[in-house]
Amino acid sequence: MALAALLAPLSVLSNWASGQIQDTDRYLATVAPLANDPDIQEAVATRMEQIIFSYLDIEAALDEVVGALAAVDLPENAVATLDAMSGPLAASIQGFVRERIDVLVQSDAFEQAWVEANRTAHEELVGALTGKTDGAVDVDRGTVSVNIATLINAVKEQLVDAGLGIADRIPEVAATFTILESKDLANVQRLLGFLDDLSYWLPVIGLVLIGIAVAIARDRRRMVLVSGLAVAGSMLLLGATLNVIRPFYLDALPADSSAAAAGAVYDQIVSFIRLALRGVLVVALTVAIVAWFSATRGAGAAARGALVGGIGHLRRGTARTGLRTGRFGAALASYRGPITVAVVGLAAVGYLMQDHPTGGTALTFVLVTAAVLLVLAVLAAEPQPEEPVVPTPPA
């Protein structure tokens, strides 16, 4: 049982590594919302500003202008005034450039460029996380970056159109923005590579182990209860582990990295792990609750008795209003066991057919299944006592 509980979080991680990270569309669904994250926009804008001003030296250009004007024998007061104004003018131009950058990163054009850049970077991310590349991607440096050169060119065109001709000095650059960076990349590669290889087997192995434990247990109901609680506990532990890892990851980043942006990326990347573990958590707790209700004595038995009594009260209430289910209700009562198994089985199949079930998905299936079973229980007709046969008196 302990081994099955250990395999549960590994199954969730393997599903994330295989079915979400290596799926380009799923990856894009993960990172696309980051384009609207204020911390990401701020970090990208700052990175673009650094690159642009590394080629666009405003102060040096203004010094050239002042020197050229001084060479034409302007009055000393005029030259001194121009020299004093160069600082504020440079700051004003820098502010104008930053304003154009901010407008761009908050536009729909940035969102589209972000998605396309991440589509191109997806291969690098897969290589970084699994270590499986075709040799065209360098993952040794421990970073995954997206190309923002198109954004630099867009800002350059806007500046030129606004009359800032000096922006023509910005060349075509291979500008990038780092979205993932870790010095422990090799360890991550080995772990996720291992999980990817076992992604289809881990859930099966875990279920088989639970089945064996239940089959050989003296008290099978109690083992089902313990199994559900153990798997639920492992999901809670996985969620807590993700929260613990986050500050360690942020602390290990280079000093010039944006902690806010890195935190937003981390939260978004692991968001599907959280969704998947919540789905497993809901299912495991549901199994445990059902096992608790099926107890022959104690609180579970008392709760089940109260529930059965409540259903009986509802059934009698509907009968008093004249609503009778006749043969249909009698059939529901006669075949209650097979019908319950069929409803639960259909719900389980429907849940397993979901590509990426979440906690909300699991809770919806549980509540709908419980509601269907409750309605069927109310509609089931109680067996009517046979009327005694009264002998006909002799004539």
Side-chain angles (χ1 to χ4, degrees), residues 286-347:
T286 301
V287 170
I289 291 172
V290 171
W292 179 73
F293 266 106
S294 64
T296 57
R297 61 180 182 275
R304 186 180 70 254
L307 179 61
V308 172
I311 293 175
H313 179 73
L314 287 175
R315 187 187 297 120
R316 291 188 293 271
T318 55
R320 285 195 296 268
T321 62
L323 177 62
R324 298 184 181 276
T325 55
R327 292 182 178 179
F328 176 69
L332 290 179
S334 299
Y335 300 100
R336 182 175 301 167
I339 290 174
T340 300
V341 172
V343 171
V344 174
L346 288 174

Short mmCIF file of all heavy atoms in Angstrom, two decimals, residues 286-347:
data_model
loop_
_atom_site.label_atom_id
_atom_site.label_comp_id
_atom_site.label_asym_id
_atom_site.label_seq_id
_atom_site.Cartn_x
_atom_site.Cartn_y
_atom_site.Cartn_z
N THR A 286 -13.26 10.42 -2.51
CA THR A 286 -14.59 9.84 -2.77
C THR A 286 -14.59 8.35 -2.45
O THR A 286 -15.53 7.83 -1.82
CB THR A 286 -14.98 10.06 -4.23
OG1 THR A 286 -15.01 11.47 -4.51
CG2 THR A 286 -16.36 9.47 -4.52
N VAL A 287 -13.55 7.63 -2.90
CA VAL A 287 -13.44 6.20 -2.60
C VAL A 287 -13.40 5.98 -1.09
O VAL A 287 -14.06 5.07 -0.56
CB VAL A 287 -12.19 5.61 -3.29
CG1 VAL A 287 -11.93 4.18 -2.80
CG2 VAL A 287 -12.36 5.64 -4.80
N ALA A 288 -12.62 6.81 -0.40
CA ALA A 288 -12.52 6.66 1.05
C ALA A 288 -13.86 6.93 1.74
O ALA A 288 -14.25 6.22 2.69
CB ALA A 288 -11.45 7.61 1.59
N ILE A 289 -14.59 7.93 1.28
CA ILE A 289 -15.89 8.26 1.89
C ILE A 289 -16.89 7.12 1.67
O ILE A 289 -17.64 6.75 2.58
CB ILE A 289 -16.43 9.58 1.31
CG1 ILE A 289 -15.55 10.75 1.80
CG2 ILE A 289 -17.87 9.81 1.71
CD1 ILE A 289 -15.87 12.07 1.15
N VAL A 290 -16.90 6.57 0.44
CA VAL A 290 -17.80 5.45 0.16
C VAL A 290 -17.47 4.26 1.05
O VAL A 290 -18.37 3.60 1.60
CB VAL A 290 -17.72 5.06 -1.33
CG1 VAL A 290 -18.48 3.76 -1.59
CG2 VAL A 290 -18.28 6.18 -2.20
N ALA A 291 -16.17 3.97 1.22
CA ALA A 291 -15.77 2.86 2.10
C ALA A 291 -16.18 3.14 3.54
O ALA A 291 -16.59 2.22 4.27
CB ALA A 291 -14.25 2.66 2.00
N TRP A 292 -16.09 4.38 3.96
CA TRP A 292 -16.49 4.75 5.34
C TRP A 292 -18.00 4.55 5.54
O TRP A 292 -18.45 4.05 6.55
CB TRP A 292 -16.09 6.19 5.60
CG TRP A 292 -16.45 6.69 6.96
CD1 TRP A 292 -15.86 6.36 8.14
CD2 TRP A 292 -17.49 7.62 7.27
NE1 TRP A 292 -16.48 7.03 9.17
CE2 TRP A 292 -17.47 7.81 8.67
CE3 TRP A 292 -18.42 8.31 6.50
CZ2 TRP A 292 -18.37 8.67 9.31
CZ3 TRP A 292 -19.32 9.17 7.13
CH2 TRP A 292 -19.29 9.34 8.52
N PHE A 293 -18.78 4.93 4.52
CA PHE A 293 -20.24 4.79 4.61
C PHE A 293 -20.66 3.33 4.66
O PHE A 293 -21.72 3.01 5.18
CB PHE A 293 -20.92 5.47 3.41
CG PHE A 293 -21.35 6.88 3.68
CD1 PHE A 293 -20.65 7.94 3.15
CD2 PHE A 293 -22.46 7.14 4.46
CE1 PHE A 293 -21.04 9.24 3.39
CE2 PHE A 293 -22.87 8.44 4.72
CZ PHE A 293 -22.15 9.50 4.19
N SER A 294 -19.83 2.45 4.09
CA SER A 294 -20.22 1.04 4.01
C SER A 294 -19.87 0.26 5.27
O SER A 294 -20.01 -0.96 5.31
CB SER A 294 -19.55 0.38 2.80
OG SER A 294 -18.12 0.38 2.95
N ALA A 295 -19.40 0.93 6.32
CA ALA A 295 -19.04 0.24 7.56
C ALA A 295 -20.26 -0.42 8.18
O ALA A 295 -21.39 0.08 8.06
CB ALA A 295 -18.42 1.23 8.54
N THR A 296 -20.03 -1.54 8.86
CA THR A 296 -21.14 -2.26 9.50
C THR A 296 -21.49 -1.70 10.87
O THR A 296 -22.55 -2.00 11.41
CB THR A 296 -20.78 -3.75 9.63
OG1 THR A 296 -19.55 -3.87 10.37
CG2 THR A 296 -20.61 -4.38 8.26
N ARG A 297 -20.60 -0.93 11.43
CA ARG A 297 -20.87 -0.32 12.74
C ARG A 297 -20.05 0.96 12.87
O ARG A 297 -19.17 1.23 12.06
CB ARG A 297 -20.52 -1.29 13.86
CG ARG A 297 -19.07 -1.71 13.91
CD ARG A 297 -18.82 -2.68 15.07
NE ARG A 297 -17.42 -3.06 15.15
CZ ARG A 297 -16.86 -4.04 14.45
NH1 ARG A 297 -17.62 -4.75 13.61
NH2 ARG A 297 -15.58 -4.32 14.59
N GLY A 298 -20.37 1.73 13.91
CA GLY A 298 -19.64 2.96 14.13
C GLY A 298 -20.28 4.15 13.43
O GLY A 298 -21.45 4.11 12.99
N ALA A 299 -19.49 5.24 13.29
CA ALA A 299 -20.00 6.48 12.72
C ALA A 299 -20.43 6.31 11.27
O ALA A 299 -21.43 6.88 10.82
CB ALA A 299 -18.94 7.58 12.83
N GLY A 300 -19.66 5.54 10.51
CA GLY A 300 -20.01 5.32 9.11
C GLY A 300 -21.35 4.64 8.96
O GLY A 300 -22.19 5.04 8.12
N ALA A 301 -21.60 3.60 9.79
CA ALA A 301 -22.88 2.90 9.74
C ALA A 301 -24.02 3.82 10.15
O ALA A 301 -25.11 3.79 9.56
CB ALA A 301 -22.83 1.67 10.64
N ALA A 302 -23.78 4.66 11.16
CA ALA A 302 -24.82 5.60 11.60
C ALA A 302 -25.14 6.61 10.51
O ALA A 302 -26.31 6.94 10.27
CB ALA A 302 -24.36 6.31 12.87
N ALA A 303 -24.10 7.10 9.84
CA ALA A 303 -24.32 8.07 8.76
C ALA A 303 -25.08 7.42 7.61
O ALA A 303 -25.98 8.03 7.01
CB ALA A 303 -22.97 8.62 8.27
N ARG A 304 -24.72 6.16 7.29
CA ARG A 304 -25.43 5.46 6.22
C ARG A 304 -26.89 5.25 6.59
O ARG A 304 -27.79 5.40 5.76
CB ARG A 304 -24.76 4.12 5.93
CG ARG A 304 -25.38 3.41 4.72
CD ARG A 304 -24.72 2.08 4.44
NE ARG A 304 -25.03 1.07 5.45
CZ ARG A 304 -24.19 0.66 6.38
NH1 ARG A 304 -22.96 1.15 6.43
NH2 ARG A 304 -24.55 -0.27 7.26
N GLY A 305 -27.14 4.89 7.87
CA GLY A 305 -28.52 4.70 8.31
C GLY A 305 -29.33 5.98 8.20
O GLY A 305 -30.49 5.95 7.79
N ALA A 306 -28.70 7.10 8.54
CA ALA A 306 -29.40 8.38 8.43
C ALA A 306 -29.71 8.71 6.97
O ALA A 306 -30.79 9.22 6.64
CB ALA A 306 -28.56 9.49 9.05
N LEU A 307 -28.77 8.39 6.09
CA LEU A 307 -28.98 8.65 4.67
C LEU A 307 -30.10 7.77 4.12
O LEU A 307 -30.98 8.25 3.40
CB LEU A 307 -27.68 8.40 3.90
CG LEU A 307 -27.74 8.60 2.38
CD1 LEU A 307 -28.11 10.04 2.04
CD2 LEU A 307 -26.41 8.23 1.72
N VAL A 308 -30.06 6.48 4.48
CA VAL A 308 -31.11 5.57 4.02
C VAL A 308 -32.47 6.02 4.55
O VAL A 308 -33.49 6.00 3.84
CB VAL A 308 -30.79 4.13 4.45
CG1 VAL A 308 -31.98 3.21 4.16
CG2 VAL A 308 -29.54 3.63 3.74
N GLY A 309 -32.49 6.45 5.82
CA GLY A 309 -33.74 6.93 6.39
C GLY A 309 -34.26 8.17 5.67
O GLY A 309 -35.46 8.31 5.44
N GLY A 310 -33.35 9.06 5.32
CA GLY A 310 -33.76 10.25 4.59
C GLY A 310 -34.31 9.92 3.22
O GLY A 310 -35.30 10.51 2.77
N ILE A 311 -33.67 8.95 2.53
CA ILE A 311 -34.17 8.54 1.21
C ILE A 311 -35.55 7.91 1.34
O ILE A 311 -36.45 8.16 0.53
CB ILE A 311 -33.18 7.55 0.55
CG1 ILE A 311 -31.86 8.28 0.21
CG2 ILE A 311 -33.78 6.93 -0.71
CD1 ILE A 311 -30.78 7.37 -0.32
N GLY A 312 -35.72 7.08 2.40
CA GLY A 312 -37.03 6.48 2.62
C GLY A 312 -38.09 7.52 2.89
O GLY A 312 -39.23 7.41 2.41
N HIS A 313 -37.75 8.54 3.63
CA HIS A 313 -38.70 9.62 3.92
C HIS A 313 -39.09 10.34 2.63
O HIS A 313 -40.28 10.65 2.43
CB HIS A 313 -38.07 10.60 4.91
CG HIS A 313 -38.96 11.76 5.26
ND1 HIS A 313 -40.07 11.63 6.07
CD2 HIS A 313 -38.90 13.06 4.89
CE1 HIS A 313 -40.66 12.80 6.20
NE2 HIS A 313 -39.97 13.69 5.49
N LEU A 314 -38.11 10.62 1.77
CA LEU A 314 -38.41 11.26 0.49
C LEU A 314 -39.30 10.37 -0.36
O LEU A 314 -40.24 10.85 -1.01
CB LEU A 314 -37.11 11.57 -0.26
CG LEU A 314 -36.26 12.72 0.26
CD1 LEU A 314 -34.95 12.80 -0.51
CD2 LEU A 314 -37.02 14.04 0.13
N ARG A 315 -39.00 9.06 -0.36
CA ARG A 315 -39.79 8.14 -1.18
C ARG A 315 -41.24 8.11 -0.71
O ARG A 315 -42.17 8.14 -1.51
CB ARG A 315 -39.16 6.75 -1.11
CG ARG A 315 -39.82 5.75 -2.06
CD ARG A 315 -39.28 4.35 -1.84
NE ARG A 315 -37.86 4.28 -2.12
CZ ARG A 315 -36.93 3.94 -1.23
NH1 ARG A 315 -37.31 3.66 0.02
NH2 ARG A 315 -35.67 3.86 -1.57
N ARG A 316 -41.42 8.04 0.62
CA ARG A 316 -42.79 8.02 1.15
C ARG A 316 -43.51 9.34 0.90
O ARG A 316 -44.73 9.37 0.67
CB ARG A 316 -42.75 7.68 2.64
CG ARG A 316 -42.34 6.25 2.93
CD ARG A 316 -42.51 5.93 4.41
NE ARG A 316 -41.56 6.70 5.23
CZ ARG A 316 -40.33 6.28 5.53
NH1 ARG A 316 -39.90 5.11 5.04
NH2 ARG A 316 -39.53 7.01 6.29
N GLY A 317 -42.73 10.43 0.95
CA GLY A 317 -43.35 11.72 0.68
C GLY A 317 -43.86 11.83 -0.74
O GLY A 317 -44.95 12.35 -0.99
N THR A 318 -43.08 11.33 -1.70
CA THR A 318 -43.54 11.37 -3.09
C THR A 318 -44.74 10.45 -3.30
O THR A 318 -45.62 10.74 -4.10
CB THR A 318 -42.40 10.94 -4.04
OG1 THR A 318 -41.91 9.65 -3.64
CG2 THR A 318 -41.25 11.93 -3.98
N ALA A 319 -44.75 9.33 -2.57
CA ALA A 319 -45.90 8.42 -2.70
C ALA A 319 -47.17 9.09 -2.18
O ALA A 319 -48.26 8.91 -2.75
CB ALA A 319 -45.62 7.12 -1.95
N ARG A 320 -47.07 9.84 -1.08
CA ARG A 320 -48.25 10.51 -0.52
C ARG A 320 -48.80 11.58 -1.47
O ARG A 320 -49.98 11.91 -1.43
CB ARG A 320 -47.91 11.13 0.83
CG ARG A 320 -47.80 10.11 1.96
CD ARG A 320 -47.83 10.81 3.32
NE ARG A 320 -46.66 11.67 3.49
CZ ARG A 320 -45.51 11.27 4.04
NH1 ARG A 320 -45.40 10.00 4.47
NH2 ARG A 320 -44.50 12.10 4.19
N THR A 321 -47.94 12.16 -2.29
CA THR A 321 -48.39 13.16 -3.26
C THR A 321 -49.03 12.53 -4.48
O THR A 321 -49.50 13.24 -5.37
CB THR A 321 -47.21 14.05 -3.70
OG1 THR A 321 -46.23 13.22 -4.36
CG2 THR A 321 -46.59 14.77 -2.53
N GLY A 322 -49.04 11.20 -4.54
CA GLY A 322 -49.66 10.52 -5.67
C GLY A 322 -48.68 10.13 -6.76
O GLY A 322 -49.08 9.57 -7.79
N LEU A 323 -47.39 10.44 -6.57
CA LEU A 323 -46.38 10.10 -7.57
C LEU A 323 -45.88 8.68 -7.30
O LEU A 323 -45.18 8.44 -6.32
CB LEU A 323 -45.21 11.09 -7.53
CG LEU A 323 -44.06 10.80 -8.49
CD1 LEU A 323 -44.54 10.85 -9.93
CD2 LEU A 323 -42.91 11.80 -8.27
N ARG A 324 -46.28 7.76 -8.15
CA ARG A 324 -45.87 6.37 -7.98
C ARG A 324 -45.14 5.93 -9.25
O ARG A 324 -45.54 6.31 -10.36
CB ARG A 324 -47.07 5.47 -7.70
CG ARG A 324 -47.79 5.83 -6.41
CD ARG A 324 -48.92 4.88 -6.10
NE ARG A 324 -49.62 5.27 -4.88
CZ ARG A 324 -49.22 4.93 -3.67
NH1 ARG A 324 -48.14 4.18 -3.50
NH2 ARG A 324 -49.90 5.33 -2.60
N THR A 325 -44.11 5.15 -9.07
CA THR A 325 -43.29 4.73 -10.22
C THR A 325 -43.68 3.37 -10.76
O THR A 325 -43.14 2.93 -11.77
CB THR A 325 -41.81 4.70 -9.81
OG1 THR A 325 -41.66 3.86 -8.66
CG2 THR A 325 -41.31 6.10 -9.48
N GLY A 326 -44.57 2.69 -10.11
CA GLY A 326 -45.11 1.44 -10.63
C GLY A 326 -44.05 0.39 -10.89
O GLY A 326 -43.15 0.16 -10.08
N ARG A 327 -44.18 -0.24 -12.05
CA ARG A 327 -43.26 -1.32 -12.41
C ARG A 327 -41.82 -0.81 -12.55
O ARG A 327 -40.88 -1.53 -12.25
CB ARG A 327 -43.71 -1.97 -13.71
CG ARG A 327 -45.02 -2.74 -13.59
CD ARG A 327 -45.37 -3.41 -14.90
NE ARG A 327 -46.62 -4.18 -14.79
CZ ARG A 327 -47.16 -4.86 -15.81
NH1 ARG A 327 -46.56 -4.85 -16.99
NH2 ARG A 327 -48.28 -5.53 -15.62
N PHE A 328 -41.70 0.44 -13.04
CA PHE A 328 -40.35 1.00 -13.18
C PHE A 328 -39.66 1.09 -11.83
O PHE A 328 -38.49 0.71 -11.66
CB PHE A 328 -40.43 2.39 -13.82
CG PHE A 328 -39.11 3.09 -13.93
CD1 PHE A 328 -38.12 2.65 -14.79
CD2 PHE A 328 -38.85 4.21 -13.14
CE1 PHE A 328 -36.90 3.30 -14.88
CE2 PHE A 328 -37.64 4.87 -13.22
CZ PHE A 328 -36.66 4.41 -14.09
N GLY A 329 -40.38 1.57 -10.83
CA GLY A 329 -39.81 1.66 -9.48
C GLY A 329 -39.50 0.30 -8.91
O GLY A 329 -38.49 0.10 -8.23
N ALA A 330 -40.38 -0.65 -9.19
CA ALA A 330 -40.14 -2.01 -8.70
C ALA A 330 -38.89 -2.61 -9.33
O ALA A 330 -38.10 -3.30 -8.67
CB ALA A 330 -41.37 -2.88 -9.00
N ALA A 331 -38.70 -2.34 -10.64
CA ALA A 331 -37.50 -2.84 -11.32
C ALA A 331 -36.24 -2.19 -10.75
O ALA A 331 -35.21 -2.86 -10.56
CB ALA A 331 -37.61 -2.56 -12.82
N LEU A 332 -36.32 -0.89 -10.45
CA LEU A 332 -35.17 -0.21 -9.84
C LEU A 332 -34.83 -0.83 -8.50
O LEU A 332 -33.65 -0.98 -8.15
CB LEU A 332 -35.48 1.29 -9.66
CG LEU A 332 -35.56 2.15 -10.92
CD1 LEU A 332 -35.91 3.59 -10.56
CD2 LEU A 332 -34.25 2.11 -11.69
N ALA A 333 -35.85 -1.18 -7.74
CA ALA A 333 -35.60 -1.78 -6.43
C ALA A 333 -35.03 -3.19 -6.56
O ALA A 333 -34.14 -3.59 -5.80
CB ALA A 333 -36.89 -1.80 -5.61
N SER A 334 -35.52 -3.94 -7.54
CA SER A 334 -35.07 -5.33 -7.72
C SER A 334 -33.63 -5.41 -8.21
O SER A 334 -32.89 -6.32 -7.82
CB SER A 334 -36.00 -6.05 -8.69
OG SER A 334 -37.33 -6.08 -8.18
N TYR A 335 -33.26 -4.47 -9.08
CA TYR A 335 -31.93 -4.52 -9.69
C TYR A 335 -31.05 -3.36 -9.21
O TYR A 335 -30.26 -2.79 -9.96
CB TYR A 335 -32.05 -4.48 -11.21
CG TYR A 335 -32.83 -5.63 -11.79
CD1 TYR A 335 -34.16 -5.45 -12.15
CD2 TYR A 335 -32.25 -6.87 -11.94
CE1 TYR A 335 -34.89 -6.51 -12.68
CE2 TYR A 335 -32.96 -7.94 -12.47
CZ TYR A 335 -34.29 -7.75 -12.83
OH TYR A 335 -35.00 -8.80 -13.34
N ARG A 336 -31.24 -2.99 -7.97
CA ARG A 336 -30.51 -1.84 -7.41
C ARG A 336 -29.00 -2.04 -7.49
O ARG A 336 -28.26 -1.13 -7.85
CB ARG A 336 -30.94 -1.61 -5.96
CG ARG A 336 -30.28 -0.41 -5.30
CD ARG A 336 -30.86 -0.21 -3.92
NE ARG A 336 -32.31 -0.01 -4.00
CZ ARG A 336 -33.12 -0.05 -2.94
NH1 ARG A 336 -32.63 -0.31 -1.74
NH2 ARG A 336 -34.42 0.16 -3.09
N GLY A 337 -28.51 -3.20 -7.16
CA GLY A 337 -27.07 -3.46 -7.18
C GLY A 337 -26.47 -3.33 -8.56
O GLY A 337 -25.51 -2.54 -8.75
N PRO A 338 -26.97 -4.07 -9.57
CA PRO A 338 -26.42 -3.93 -10.91
C PRO A 338 -26.53 -2.53 -11.47
O PRO A 338 -25.63 -2.05 -12.17
CB PRO A 338 -27.24 -4.93 -11.74
CG PRO A 338 -27.73 -5.93 -10.74
CD PRO A 338 -27.96 -5.16 -9.48
N ILE A 339 -27.65 -1.85 -11.17
CA ILE A 339 -27.82 -0.48 -11.68
C ILE A 339 -26.79 0.46 -11.06
O ILE A 339 -26.19 1.30 -11.74
CB ILE A 339 -29.25 0.02 -11.39
CG1 ILE A 339 -30.26 -0.74 -12.27
CG2 ILE A 339 -29.36 1.53 -11.66
CD1 ILE A 339 -31.71 -0.41 -11.94
N THR A 340 -26.54 0.28 -9.76
CA THR A 340 -25.53 1.12 -9.10
C THR A 340 -24.15 0.88 -9.70
O THR A 340 -23.41 1.84 -9.97
CB THR A 340 -25.49 0.82 -7.58
OG1 THR A 340 -26.76 1.11 -7.02
CG2 THR A 340 -24.43 1.67 -6.90
N VAL A 341 -23.81 -0.39 -9.92
CA VAL A 341 -22.52 -0.71 -10.53
C VAL A 341 -22.42 -0.10 -11.93
O VAL A 341 -21.37 0.45 -12.31
CB VAL A 341 -22.33 -2.23 -10.58
CG1 VAL A 341 -21.08 -2.58 -11.40
CG2 VAL A 341 -22.21 -2.81 -9.18
N ALA A 342 -23.50 -0.16 -12.70
CA ALA A 342 -23.49 0.39 -14.06
C ALA A 342 -23.29 1.91 -14.05
O ALA A 342 -22.51 2.45 -14.85
CB ALA A 342 -24.80 0.03 -14.77
N VAL A 343 -24.01 2.59 -13.15
CA VAL A 343 -23.88 4.06 -13.08
C VAL A 343 -22.47 4.46 -12.68
O VAL A 343 -21.84 5.34 -13.30
CB VAL A 343 -24.91 4.64 -12.08
CG1 VAL A 343 -24.64 6.13 -11.84
CG2 VAL A 343 -26.31 4.45 -12.62
N VAL A 344 -21.94 3.81 -11.66
CA VAL A 344 -20.57 4.13 -11.21
C VAL A 344 -19.57 3.77 -12.29
O VAL A 344 -18.60 4.52 -12.54
CB VAL A 344 -20.26 3.38 -9.89
CG1 VAL A 344 -18.80 3.58 -9.51
CG2 VAL A 344 -21.16 3.87 -8.78
N GLY A 345 -19.77 2.64 -12.97
CA GLY A 345 -18.85 2.24 -14.04
C GLY A 345 -18.85 3.23 -15.19
O GLY A 345 -17.79 3.59 -15.71
N LEU A 346 -20.04 3.68 -15.61
CA LEU A 346 -20.11 4.68 -16.68
C LEU A 346 -19.42 5.98 -16.28
O LEU A 346 -18.72 6.61 -17.09
CB LEU A 346 -21.57 4.94 -17.05
CG LEU A 346 -22.30 3.82 -17.80
CD1 LEU A 346 -23.77 4.17 -17.97
CD2 LEU A 346 -21.64 3.59 -19.16
N ALA A 347 -19.62 6.39 -15.03
CA ALA A 347 -18.96 7.62 -14.55
C ALA A 347 -17.45 7.44 -14.55
O ALA A 347 -16.71 8.36 -14.95
CB ALA A 347 -19.46 7.96 -13.16
#
